[in-house]
């Protein structure tokens, strides 16, 4: 197995719960499975996965990639597991002459998946203008980051978006910023704006609070951080989500994330797939994963423009609100 480090500059700094970062660093993983080469990507994001150092240690400890996956040796290092499992899946999909999304179990033939635009924090007017330009570019779903400002300001921001974009599917992501009473008041107001769902209105720890919110407000509740922290079973048992966000890098690979997505779907909870602002190899794999989920809702896969340089150009590009599935066998065409 070959492990090669990379560093990709971001086009603007990315704020995470753990730190503000200006590049995405990770490893390309190349494997040989029965004479067929497969390529994977491990791009840890502290706060969501293991650290870069722990990722590299885990990758360099792998002797037999398939055996490492089977033994569970990478289960505590989700980004490393993502890199190795994607490389093995890519090789196996190539050997079976299928695109990755079909090899993962996708039954319908598709060539693109719907994606949402993401609008960051900003004043109401700038937020509405950004949403409007996304709609003009063909996006039918827009996710607005909230929770950084006072609640009444976030309400004004979403009112401004709804006024300018009457038909768009509107979502918000609070990244766990509110307490129960703030969330209850705000989500009740969001219902009047026909907000489809709010991601992580409460801190990830508070599954019971999310379950209670679902009972009282007319807006869907999505869990993102909460799925990674508690696992899907606990989320389903608590009745805490209408929607679950599946991040392959944080969940330990596209195979593991597909398991989460399909089990959620079977339980009546809608999955959406998003990246952790990964390089083109992992982003393309996330597009394949989304394509393997029947009738998937708009996913958070329009993240390639967050990178100022990429592992590969022209892969999993977004056109008119859809991400294009790479052609051919495996994940992406060989370079
Ligand atoms: Mg989120």
């Amino acid at each position: 197995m070959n492990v090669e480090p990379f560093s990709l500059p971001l086009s603007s700094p990315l704020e995470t719960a753990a730190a503000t970062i200006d590049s995405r660093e990770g490893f390309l993983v190349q494997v040989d499975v029965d004479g067929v080469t497969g390529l994977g990507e491990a791009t840890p994001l502290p706060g969501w996965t293991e650290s870069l150092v722990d990722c590299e240690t885990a990758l360099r400890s792998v002797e037999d990639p398939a055996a490492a996956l089977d033994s569970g040796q990478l289960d505590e290092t989700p980004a490393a597991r993502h890199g190795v499992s994607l490389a093995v899946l890519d090789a196996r999909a190539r050997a079976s002459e299928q695109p990755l999304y079909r090899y993962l179990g996708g039954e319908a033939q598709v060539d693109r998946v719907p994606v949402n635009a993401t609008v960051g924090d900003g004043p109401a007017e700038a937020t509405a203008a950004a949403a409007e330009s996304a709609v003009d570019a063909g996006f039918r779903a827009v996710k607005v980051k909230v929770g950084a400002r006072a609640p009444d300001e976030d309400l004004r921001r979403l009112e401004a978006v709804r006024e300018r974009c009457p038909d768009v599917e509107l979502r918000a992501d609070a990244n766990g910023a509110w307490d129960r009473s703030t969330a209850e008041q705000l989500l009740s107001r969001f219902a009047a704006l026909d907000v489809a769902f709010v991601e992580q209105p409460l801190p990830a720890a508070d599954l019971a609070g999310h379950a209670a919110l679902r009972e009282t407000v007319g807006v869907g509740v999505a869990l993102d951080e909460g799925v990674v922290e508690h696992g899907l079973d606990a989320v389903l048992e608590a009745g805490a989500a209408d929607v679950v966000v599946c991040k392959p890098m944080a969940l330990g690979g596209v195979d593991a994330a597909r398991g989460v997505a399909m089990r959620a779907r079977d339980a009546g909870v809608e999955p959406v797939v998003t990246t952790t602002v990964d390089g083109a190899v992992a982003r393309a794999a996330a597009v394949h994963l989304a394509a393997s989920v029947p009738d998937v809702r708009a996913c958070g896969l329009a993240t390639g423009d967050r990178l100022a340089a990429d592992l590969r150009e022209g892969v999993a590009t977004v056109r008119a609100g859809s991400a294009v599935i790479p052609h051919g066998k495996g994940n992406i065409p060989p370079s």
Side-chain angles (χ1 to χ4, degrees):
M1 193 175 89
N2 189 44
V3 175
E4 186 190 324
F6 64 78
S7 177
L8 305 171
L10 288 159
S11 49
S12 59
L14 178 66
E15 279 186 48
T16 74
T20 300
I21 56 174
D22 52 22
S23 67
R24 295 291 286 120
E25 293 176 51
F27 306 91
L28 279 172
V29 176
Q30 196 175 309
V31 300
D32 182 295
V33 180
D34 301 328
V36 180
T37 299
L39 185 66
E41 177 189 328
T43 309
L45 186 59
W48 289 93
T49 71
E50 75 275 23
S51 67
L52 188 70
V53 170
D54 289 349
C55 182
E56 179 161 25
T57 303
L59 289 172
R60 303 232 182 254
S61 74
V62 172
E63 285 174 16
D64 177 337
L69 297 172
D70 289 343
S71 70
Q73 134 184 19
L74 300 172
D75 288 359
E76 301 301 312
T77 49
R81 193 188 180 285
H82 182 286
V84 176
S85 63
L86 176 55
V88 170
L89 287 164
D90 182 40
R92 288 181 176 157
R94 284 177 199 288
S96 72
E97 309 214 313
Q98 295 180 85
L100 181 59
Y101 78 93
R102 298 285 289 223
Y103 186 76
L104 287 171
E107 284 169 9
Q109 189 110 19
V110 287
D111 59 6
R112 57 196 60 219
V113 291
V115 294
N116 66 271
T118 300
V119 174
D121 183 51
E125 176 57 30
T127 302
E132 189 173 45
S133 67
V135 170
D136 289 345
F139 287 94
R140 291 168 297 281
V142 169
K143 174 167 110 173
V144 178
K145 288 282 187 179
V146 294
R149 291 165 187 259
D152 59 335
E153 271 191 83
D154 275 332
L155 179 61
R156 279 200 294 278
R157 294 173 66 225
L158 290 201
E159 285 170 346
V161 171
R162 181 49 86 209
E163 202 168 295
R164 294 268 279 272
C165 311
D167 300 321
V168 80
E169 182 187 313
L170 183 52
R171 307 170 176 181
D173 186 355
N175 293 108
W178 298 320
D179 60 26
R180 288 188 184 194
S181 73
T182 305
E184 197 176 316
Q185 287 171 36
L186 259 185
L187 267 63
S188 302
R189 306 290 299 273
F190 287 178
L193 300 174
D194 195 22
V195 170
F197 61 81
V198 177
E199 253 176 73
Q200 214 60 62
L202 303 171
D206 193 6
L207 281 187
H210 286 103
L213 266 184
R214 290 185 64 215
E215 302 288 316
T216 50
V217 299
V219 172
V221 170
L223 292 192
D224 184 1
E225 289 89 338
V227 179
V228 174
E229 180 166 326
H230 301 281
L232 180 68
D233 291 336
V235 169
L236 295 179
E237 188 150 322
D242 299 286
V243 172
V244 290
V245 177
C246 302
K247 286 181 158 66
M249 197 64 70
L251 293 171
V254 287
D255 50 352
R258 185 164 198 274
V260 170
M262 297 305 281
R263 282 197 297 125
R265 198 170 176 275
D266 288 347
V269 175
E270 281 200 90
V272 297
V273 179
T274 83
T275 75
T276 33
V277 190
D278 312 312
V281 177
R283 196 172 65 249
V287 171
H288 280 285
L289 164 59
S292 80
V293 177
D295 304 318
V296 73
R297 265 178 108 134
C299 288
L301 301 168
T303 57
D305 61 0
R306 298 297 308 268
L307 299 169
D310 207 342
L311 297 169
R312 189 78 71 78
E313 298 304 323
V315 166
T317 51
V318 171
R319 280 184 220 135
S322 295
V324 180
I325 301 162
H327 284 297
K329 295 176 280 187
N331 182 31
I332 58 172
S335 53

